[in-house]
Amino acid sequence: MKIGPLYSCILALALILGASSCAKKIVYSTPGAKPASALPGHKAANPQKALQRYTKYLETTGVGDPGRSDAWRNTVDSAVQLGEFELAEKNLQAWQAENKTATSSWDWNQANAQLLLARKGKDAYVSFLLDLAGRADLDWTTRDAAGMELVDHFWAIPEYGLAFDTMGFLYKAAPDDAIRGTLEAEALRRAESLPADELRTVLDSALGADPGAYPWSMVVWARSMKLLTQDKDNWTSVWPSLSTIVRSGGLANKDFFAGHLRALEQQMGVVKQNLVLLLPLSGPYAQVGWKIAKGADTAWRESRAQTEAPAIKLINTESPTFLEELRAVSGVPIIGGPLRKEIWGQIRLAGLHRTSRFLTFMPSVEDEGVEAWRFFSTPADQVRAVIRGCERLGVTSYAILHPQDRFGTAMADIFQEQAKILGARISTVRGYDIQNPPTWGKAVAALLGASGAKDTLNPDPPFQAVFLPDSLFRVQQLAPLFHYYEETRLLFLGPQLWGQSLSDANLETQYFDLTLFPGAWSAEISTQSAQSLKRGMQEGDGNEADMWAALGYDFVRFTALLGGGQSSVEAFNQALAEAASRMPWSLAPMHWDGGQASQDLFLFQPERSGMIQADLEKIRKAREQRQIRRDERRIQLQNKKKQG
């Protein structure tokens, strides 16, 4: 499903319009009212004869005649067919003048919509229908018909995701459960008409969609049934999603779906889930371990309120007996953790990595997708995020200035690998000695090709951004050196590490307003899952949600979707990809391909008070202003040279 930018804007506008109209009086249709047709307008076999016939009818009958509304409608439609748009508009206005309530009817609005489609195109047509569906001052019959005509329009293109989006918009506006139940049945019917692969594509393309809520829950349900039809062994993979829809979907037809699920459980059994978390609960990493545990507990408390939640067992990896405790839970389908490479080495040495499937909280793991898996981002994810952010700013050329230590060298290599994959150009790679700060200025000058001579601008560098894979503490000493050489236009790109020390950084913000770095958690994110995590943490022990808490929270919810009863590695890898497509993340979304994980990290900018999600448009404008000042400075120096 490719969603065009204009359609996306129109859908966003519709949500705003719908919200703003809530203050108006809601008018409901009367029981037994004749439903309006959602089909396109009248099409005459001979539109010229039809126009003449209905025009004559209007001339020979009086106001109040029961057939005049149909006649007006058909004169408009026939004129549209003939391409006589001015005449169609004139007849619409005459119809409105004769019948003051006409503009509230679906007949008048559908005729108007068809005129807009013919005269101004699909975008005007879509915008008009969305606005109509969102108007709470209209009879529900008119709003519903407008929305369903739009659903049919998107379905025919085909843009199935937009069609489901529109049904979701109608669902939120529906006045009662009877209408919501009808919309659920319609969404399920449409979803069932599509093949399983197409439904997967729809879900993958629905950014920010909650697969447990309407309309996407209907897509998930239909796809799950198709997967079960293909192979009953898919039961352990689809059961968690079906269970989530029944217990938390808030559906009008909940009894129907609950009954269907009970029948399936009687046939194939209830999937029992248990979960083990390997975390450092004492020692130097205990603070991180307990944050993950508290996030996991928040997810468990949410699930317990609705259904039998998977039991969670915590094992302290800093305990000398943790291997014995791990042996005791041998056979648990999924184990989360460990967090540290040293602990993972002990587990492998003991041969325990083959008794369960481990989703580790580490950036890399041996034999990924075969004997172990990750539930964590990689350095490559970090690099990919900043390069893709730069692409949106029109930046395609880079330099790397890295510390000559293990971390800096490794990150520089990864940046070069990812740049090659993404088609970005790296013109310069230079290292500096972290033990010798007096030499850092020379490293920056060499990178810029700057002489340092008075009243001389260094030449324009062959790159637009600099990757600085070092601690924020040292980068704070490097950044002013670029400004010293009067180079203020470059983007500074950093690793995720920067976000961990910002609160104590005493940042000089004038050096960092053109800066991007990645992160897996944003306190600003407003998704339902993130809000539930924040609320649950506050209700628990009053702690603030952060990346580690979100990791534990999402892990428990993700494994509930995953199931864990897959017999083969291939089936487990497929289940990972399936669960990721249905997961409402509080973290940045993760994906699995062949059992290997990646994460679409957020982008941030540093501020004195911490970090905020990056405003790329603000950065773009700031770069443009810096370029203007650079040009003015060049002219100033040229004039000074001439005068001297």
Side-chain angles (χ1 to χ4, degrees), residues 451-466:
S451 66
K454 185 179 179 181
D455 290 340
T456 302
L457 280 180
N458 55 281
D460 283 345
F463 49 85
Q464 303 152 292
V466 183

Side-chain angles (χ1 to χ4, degrees), residues 143-172:
R143 298 173 65 189
D144 182 48
M148 292 311 298
E149 175 156 322
L150 192 53
V151 170
D152 288 338
H153 165 73
F154 285 138
W155 200 265
I157 295 177
E159 289 282 8
Y160 301 124
L162 290 176
F164 285 114
D165 259 331
T166 306
M167 282 190 276
F169 177 62
L170 279 175
Y171 191 81
K172 289 177 181 177

Side-chain angles (χ1 to χ4, degrees), residues 145-472:
M148 292 311 298
E149 175 156 322
L150 192 53
V151 170
D152 288 338
H153 165 73
F154 285 138
W155 200 265
I157 295 177
E159 289 282 8
Y160 301 124
L162 290 176
F164 285 114
D165 259 331
T166 306
M167 282 190 276
F169 177 62
L170 279 175
Y171 191 81
K172 289 177 181 177
D176 54 50
D177 274 352
I179 290 171
R180 279 188 284 272
T182 301
L183 287 167
E184 289 167 11
E186 176 63 14
L188 183 60
R189 181 189 69 79
R190 288 179 183 262
E192 287 173 339
S193 72
L194 299 176
D197 289 345
E198 186 65 51
L199 293 174
R200 169 69 184 274
T201 300
V202 169
L203 289 169
D204 287 346
S205 303
L207 300 179
D210 182 350
Y214 182 91
W216 311 108
S217 55
M218 301 297 95
V219 179
V220 171
W221 190 280
R223 187 163 191 274
S224 297
M225 294 302 106
K226 290 177 184 293
L227 292 175
L228 279 179
T229 301
Q230 292 172 8
D231 189 344
K232 292 293 190 293
D233 287 343
N234 286 325
W235 172 238
T236 55
S237 296
V238 305
W239 178 85
S241 293
L242 301 179
S243 177
T244 298
I245 291 169
V246 168
R247 72 174 188 257
S248 60
L251 298 172
N253 291 322
K254 183 176 180 177
D255 290 345
F256 165 79
F257 291 101
H260 195 174
L261 178 59
R262 282 195 299 271
L264 289 170
E265 288 174 340
Q266 289 171 1
Q267 180 183 351
M268 288 176 277
V270 176
V271 179
K272 298 294 184 182
Q273 297 178 299
N274 290 293
L275 193 60
V276 173
L277 285 171
L278 296 174
L279 300 172
L281 302 177
S282 59
Y285 301 97
Q287 185 178 13
V288 169
W290 279 111
K291 284 181 178 180
I292 296 172
K294 288 174 181 177
D297 180 65
T298 299
W300 182 80
R301 282 186 284 110
E302 280 183 10
S303 296
R304 185 183 58 176
Q306 297 160 346
T307 186
E308 182 181 350
I312 300 175
K313 178 177 177 58
L314 299 180
I315 295 179
N316 182 8
T317 55
E318 304 307 298
S319 167
T321 62
F322 93 87
L323 287 175
E324 286 72 15
E325 293 180 65
L326 186 55
R327 283 192 184 92
V329 298
S330 175
V332 169
I334 298 172
I335 293 177
L339 190 67
R340 297 172 52 213
K341 186 176 182 180
E342 295 83 354
I343 299 299
W344 179 240
Q346 294 180 49
I347 293 170
R348 284 177 63 89
L349 189 62
L352 296 176
H353 61 301
R354 295 189 179 95
T355 62
S356 299
R357 293 197 170 107
F358 286 78
L359 282 174
T360 65
F361 305 143
M362 300 190 300
S364 65
V365 66
E366 300 90 341
D367 300 319
E368 184 178 1
V370 180
E371 289 193 344
W373 291 261
R374 282 185 302 108
F375 196 81
F376 208 77
S377 62
T378 66
D381 294 333
Q382 298 180 41
V383 168
R384 234 180 354 259
V386 293
I387 291 178
R388 284 174 174 162
C390 285
E391 286 175 350
R392 292 162 62 186
L393 292 168
V395 171
T396 57
S397 57
Y398 303 85
I400 302 174
L401 183 61
H402 68 90
Q404 292 169 328
D405 62 6
R406 184 177 177 182
F407 176 78
T409 303
M411 290 299 291
D413 290 342
I414 292 169
F415 195 97
Q416 291 177 82
E417 291 169 2
Q418 291 300 313
K420 184 177 181 180
I421 292 170
L422 296 173
R425 181 170 58 86
I426 297 177
S427 63
T428 309
V429 179
R430 182 170 292 275
Y432 56 91
D433 183 358
I434 59 174
Q435 303 299 329
N436 194 1
T439 64
W440 297 358
K442 293 180 181 179
V444 172
L447 189 79
L448 296 173
S451 66
K454 185 179 179 181
D455 290 340
T456 302
L457 280 180
N458 55 281
D460 283 345
F463 49 85
Q464 303 152 292
V466 183
F467 182 52
L468 299 164
D470 202 347
S471 69
L472 186 59

